[in-house]
């Protein structure tokens, strides 16, 4: 998945775009451009000379040079040629305001940078690989959007690799596509890289950043899932609820970094700290509105056993439970309080109380960490883990418990 401009090539080159299906079946393609080994045909336009760095096609009559056009770009933008060069190549610091001015001047003159030609000089492809387990779930889509927007602003393309549980497929991605294909760096989203994968990519000089949990040897960032779940549960406890259930992910079918069990641990710690004992405290559900709806119907159907409050493992589960409750005639929050995790855009519309994380910001922060490594003087890669804050957002889905004291269990 590429977002860069189209390079110019001399008339003696014909670009062959061979679409190769992505190995993980994500629907994205990898495209390669190869020169035509044959001589120029009689129907081809006159031969043009190409700047080795910028790849700008120029007449070969000696009238203009790529450096003279670069000088014109610099003059129109009101900067030096070296600043214009840095702004267009992406090498070296240039403020966003200056970069936009230079890009506008270049566009006015029809001056287009060839990333392929520039990479021959700089050794950079200005392309970042992203490995991710899902692309059709809200959290992952938000992280991707944050990564993409930050990379575009920095002048980088993005190539996406969706990894499944297939071990052979994963090996192909890391041993071939990320190692042999032209990416400058890699961002791993919710995938725990092995030490072999980390060391192999670092040995090739490819910086790494992880999102979702700690990975030895590389900088990572995540929220604290245990504390996030504890905060959500403590909110329900503070409202007087003692019959609380957690509806979350399958504890036996974990994602990397064990997000499901981490949130259950945080839930249990909050109950134990409050000296609240709940016999029937957990149900598993798919992380979706449909998953929450199905489990909600099963849990809430019997008024003698249903909880007075539910902590959902994500906002989509919570919204599904709310839908089930309303279908059963259960008033929210008078008879049932519900809280989720995420800050999903649908949460506000449903009045859902939630613990908000910012997945888009996580993607942008990961790009900042990555660019810091790409721009740094060669040194040992940073290994810090950044814990990002979450925020309790109270809406109308939670309220003080109203059931009679004699109904407590």
């Amino acid at each position: 998945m590429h977002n860069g401009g189209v390079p110019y090539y001399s008339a003696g080159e014909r670009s062959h775009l061979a679409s190769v299906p992505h190995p993980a079946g994500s629907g994205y393609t990898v495209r390669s451009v190869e020169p035509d080994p044959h001589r120029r045909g009689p129907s081809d336009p006159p031969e043009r000379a190409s700047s080795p760095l910028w790849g700008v096609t120029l007449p070969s009559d000696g009238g203009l040079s790529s450096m003279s056009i670069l000088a014109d770009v610099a003059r129109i933008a009101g900067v030096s040629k070296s600043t214009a060069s840095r702004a267009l190549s992406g090498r070296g610091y240039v403020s966003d305001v200056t970069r936009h001015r230079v890009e506008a001047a270049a566009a006015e003159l029809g001056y287009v940078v060839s990333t392929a030609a520039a990479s021959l000089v700089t050794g950079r492809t200005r392309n970042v690989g992203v490995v991710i387990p899902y692309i059709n779930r809200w959290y992952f889509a938000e992280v991707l959007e944050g990564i993409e927007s930050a990379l575009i602003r920095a002048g980088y393309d993005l190539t996406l690799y969706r990894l499944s549980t297939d071990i052979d497929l994963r090996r192909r991605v890391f041993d071939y596509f990320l190692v042999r294909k032209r990416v400058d760096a890699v961002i791993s989203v919710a995938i725990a890289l092995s030490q072999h994968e980390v060391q192999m990519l670092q040995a090739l000089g490819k910086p790494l950043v992880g999102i979702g949990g700690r990975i030895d040897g590389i900088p990572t960032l995540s929220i604290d899932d245990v504390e996030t779940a504890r905060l959500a549960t403590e909110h329900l406890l503070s409202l007087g609820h003692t019959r609380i259930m957690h509806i979350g992910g399958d504890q036996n079918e974990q994602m990397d970094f064990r997000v499901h069990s981490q949130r259950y641990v945080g839930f249990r710690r909050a109950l134990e700290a409050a000296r609240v004992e709940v016999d029937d405290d957990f149900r598993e559900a798919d992380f979706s509105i449909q998953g929450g709806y199905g489990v909600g119907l099963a849990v809430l159907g019997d008024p003698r056993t249903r909880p007075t409050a539910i902590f959902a493992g994500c906002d989509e589960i919570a919204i599904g439970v709310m839908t089930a409750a309303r279908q059963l005639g259960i008033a929210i929050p008078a008879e049932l309080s519900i809280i989720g995790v995420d800050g999903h855009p649908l949460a506000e519309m449903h009045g859902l109380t939630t613990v908000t994380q910012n997945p888009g910001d996580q993607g942008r922060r990961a790009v900042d960490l990555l660019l810091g490594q790409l721009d740094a003087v060669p040194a040992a890669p940073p290994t810090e883990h950044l814990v990002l804050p979450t925020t309790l957002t109270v809406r109308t889905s939670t309220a003080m418990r109203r059931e009679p004291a004699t109904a407590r269990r």
Side-chain angles (χ1 to χ4, degrees), residues 54-79:
W54 304 112
V56 178
T57 54
L58 302 171
S60 58
D61 57 7
L64 293 173
S65 71
S66 61
M67 290 307 294
S68 68
I69 293 186
L70 180 60
D72 289 339
V73 170
R75 178 180 53 78
I76 293 173
V79 298

Side-chain angles (χ1 to χ4, degrees), residues 307-371:
T308 65
I310 289 175
F311 161 47
C314 71
D315 285 350
E316 288 168 282
I317 291 177
I319 291 168
V321 173
M322 293 175 75
T323 304
R326 285 166 179 151
Q327 183 171 315
L328 293 170
I330 300 170
I332 299 172
E335 297 176 272
L336 178 69
S337 285
I338 302 175
I339 188 171
V341 174
D342 274 340
H344 193 288
L346 290 177
E348 183 175 7
M349 183 176 72
H350 286 82
L352 175 64
T353 296
T354 186
V355 180
T356 302
Q357 60 172 326
N358 294 287
D361 184 58
Q362 293 173 32
R364 289 185 288 272
R365 297 283 287 273
V367 171
D368 289 343
L369 289 173
L370 201 68
L371 295 177

Side-chain angles (χ1 to χ4, degrees), residues 211-230:
I211 300 175
R214 295 178 185 272
I215 302 173
D216 289 342
I218 70 171
T220 53
L221 59 87
S222 71
I223 64 169
D224 187 326
D225 286 292
V226 172
E227 288 305 310
T228 295
R230 184 168 182 159

